[in-house]
Amino acid sequence: MKKTAIILAAALSASLVSAESVLKPINEKGYGTISGRVQSLSMYRDFENTAAGDTGANTSLGFILGYTSPEVNGLDAGLAFNFADELYSRNNSVQLLNDDIHVLNEAWARYTFSALNLTNTTAVIGRRISNGEVFRADDYRQKSRSIEAIQIETKDIPNTRITAGHAIRLSNWIDTNTPYDRWDFNDFGEVFGAGYDTKGVTWSEGVYTGFQNLEIALFDAYAWDVSNLIGTRAKWACCENSALVGYYRHENDVGRAATRNSDAYGISLQQKVGGVTIEPGYFGVRGSTLRFQETTTGINHPLGVSMMLYSGQFNGDSDTAYLKAVTKIKKTVLYALYNYTWHGTTAFDGQELNLVAKQPIIDNLTVAVKCGIGYRDNKGADNTTATDARLFLTYAF
């Protein structure tokens, strides 16, 4: 597979010149749309006192190649293959989790109910990236999270979006083969670490924006023989440049799962100051560690893009205060997220800071840099630090 990655590296420079000129005439013929991405990711991590190895560095190269068919009598379909392999490795550790990905990440068929005058109502079956209240895409490295499911979505009710479906397997954004290949499509028993196979996840979610200055989301996800999640998210634009956001999530065990209950609470203020959006907030978990969170299905919360998880924000009996800031200066996007997490039962308190800068170079080519640092106060034992640095070079076509 490394030979394949080297060939891709050689092809990347050619694609910068030829991808648009080759694909645009093909796509304009009406036979469907071909799209894709070529991305190199160089990463360095140093996590002190970890059993898996303290330090690792590598460079991986990946691509996504997708196709969406034309719509015929309301029916269309799509495919997307995702591949990544390692070009370079030094003292590699399982902390890196970027290489050896080869999966048909999307393979779906969709029917739009235009014949019933429901032009914004669709039914989809197959593998597809989902980005909603329950499942999140989380394209942190070389792939997005995807689910294998049947689902129905409608936007034909005024000011309302409703999605309902049943997922039988999930392909995560992370690459590790311990204890299984998380980048591949896996039974939800593996996704949640239950130790047995399950019947999947049945979920529904709705977002309503019909109230003035108020957005409300309600959702429920029943992970068979694991856990039931029920929750809400609300955003109130209290004045021109300010919004209050609140979250509540409850999880409880179901079926053959061991007894487990969790409640998560969140509140934040989104404040625009000039060209910067600042968000100070709080997130807390009571009871057990969350099942539905960043390393499993994803979570629709600012801490779901922390990218380090060194402070254990989703652990049971934890409290997190955070500050997020996002701005765009001309074409440059800047992102920062700091959080301080203190624990009631876990034997450390933690802090972490993540900084991201993304800059377009030429059409469809961007470079992004991510830097993170974490610190743990181990409550009497030696304190530890962690660093995380990533360089992305991405060409989309």
Side-chain angles (χ1 to χ4, degrees), residues 39 142 197 213 216 238 263 314 341:
Q39 177 173 274
Q142 290 286 20
D197 288 346
N213 300 326
I216 298 176
C238 49
D263 290 285
F314 304 118
T341 303

Side-chain angles (χ1 to χ4, degrees), residues 112-129:
T112 302
F113 292 86
S114 303
L116 301 177
N117 293 321
L118 299 174
T119 56
N120 291 306
T121 299
T122 60
V124 181
I125 186 170
R127 299 178 174 184
R128 200 171 189 210
I129 295 168

Side-chain angles (χ1 to χ4, degrees), residues 2 10 46 56 72 74 78 118 154 181 217 245 261 270 284 288 303 321 332 362:
K2 287 188 176 181
D46 185 355
V72 179
L118 299 174
T154 183
D181 290 324
V245 184
N261 286 279
Q270 294 179 353
S288 307
L303 292 175
T332 305
I362 59 174

Side-chain angles (χ1 to χ4, degrees), residues 222-298:
Y222 190 91
W224 292 80
D225 281 326
V226 179
S227 180
N228 184 67
L229 164 71
I230 187 169
T232 184
R233 175 184 59 83
K235 181 178 180 179
W236 175 46
C238 49
C239 53
E240 183 178 359
N241 294 313
S242 304
L244 287 172
V245 184
Y247 302 86
Y248 173 71
R249 303 165 68 94
H250 172 75
E251 297 178 13
N252 61 272
D253 58 279
V254 295
R256 61 191 289 193
T259 301
R260 187 166 174 162
N261 286 279
S262 308
D263 290 285
Y265 310 86
I267 187 167
S268 65
L269 170 67
Q270 294 179 353
Q271 179 68 48
K272 291 184 179 179
V273 181
V276 183
T277 299
I278 300 172
E279 182 174 352
Y282 164 83
F283 184 80
V285 181
R286 292 293 172 267
S288 307
T289 297
L290 295 182
R291 292 280 202 185
F292 291 81
Q293 41 100 337
E294 185 174 350
T295 61
T296 57
T297 60

Side-chain angles (χ1 to χ4, degrees), residues 23-268:
L23 294 181
K24 187 176 180 181
I26 295 174
N27 289 339
E28 288 177 345
K29 289 183 180 295
Y31 299 121
T33 302
I34 300 173
S35 61
R37 182 184 79 182
V38 181
Q39 177 173 274
S40 68
L41 168 56
S42 298
M43 186 170 173
Y44 170 84
R45 270 192 159 183
D46 185 355
F47 278 35
E48 287 186 342
N49 298 334
T50 59
D54 296 336
T55 304
N58 75 352
T59 296
S60 62
L61 186 72
F63 76 84
I64 300 170
L65 184 61
Y67 169 75
T68 302
S69 75
E71 183 179 312
V72 179
N73 296 324
L75 185 66
D76 63 347
L79 299 169
F81 182 74
N82 197 299
F83 170 90
D85 197 21
E86 193 173 71
L87 294 176
Y88 162 82
S89 174
R90 181 177 65 83
N91 193 28
N92 198 4
S93 79
V94 296
Q95 300 285 357
L96 297 174
L97 313 176
N98 298 321
D99 54 297
D100 194 20
I101 296 170
H102 45 280
V103 63
L104 191 62
N105 207 38
E106 294 195 283
W108 51 267
R110 175 175 57 192
Y111 181 73
T112 302
F113 292 86
S114 303
L116 301 177
N117 293 321
L118 299 174
T119 56
N120 291 306
T121 299
T122 60
V124 181
I125 186 170
R127 299 178 174 184
R128 200 171 189 210
I129 295 168
S130 180
N131 201 42
E133 301 299 322
V134 174
F135 298 103
R136 305 293 292 174
D138 293 344
D139 189 13
Y140 298 148
R141 303 191 185 183
Q142 290 286 20
K143 73 178 296 293
S144 295
R145 187 184 283 110
S146 180
I147 56 173
E148 193 171 270
I150 181 169
Q151 56 188 303
I152 296 177
E153 180 180 85
T154 183
K155 298 179 183 177
D156 281 307
I157 303 171
N159 306 309
T160 304
R161 177 180 61 82
I162 297 174
T163 304
H166 179 76
I168 58 172
R169 295 196 297 172
L170 179 145
S171 169
N172 219 322
W173 56 267
I174 201 168
D175 168 37
T176 176
N177 57 5
T178 306
Y180 59 93
D181 290 324
R182 295 192 187 184
W183 55 263
D184 206 353
F185 282 85
N186 294 285
D187 184 275
F188 278 94
E190 293 178 316
V191 172
F192 290 115
Y196 47 81
D197 288 346
T198 74
K199 296 179 181 178
V201 175
T202 304
W203 90 100
S204 61
E205 57 187 61
V207 180
Y208 182 71
T209 57
F211 300 121
Q212 185 176 3
N213 300 326
L214 181 63
E215 176 180 289
I216 298 176
L218 299 172
F219 50 93
D220 181 85
Y222 190 91
W224 292 80
D225 281 326
V226 179
S227 180
N228 184 67
L229 164 71
I230 187 169
T232 184
R233 175 184 59 83
K235 181 178 180 179
W236 175 46
C238 49
C239 53
E240 183 178 359
N241 294 313
S242 304
L244 287 172
V245 184
Y247 302 86
Y248 173 71
R249 303 165 68 94
H250 172 75
E251 297 178 13
N252 61 272
D253 58 279
V254 295
R256 61 191 289 193
T259 301
R260 187 166 174 162
N261 286 279
S262 308
D263 290 285
Y265 310 86
I267 187 167
S268 65

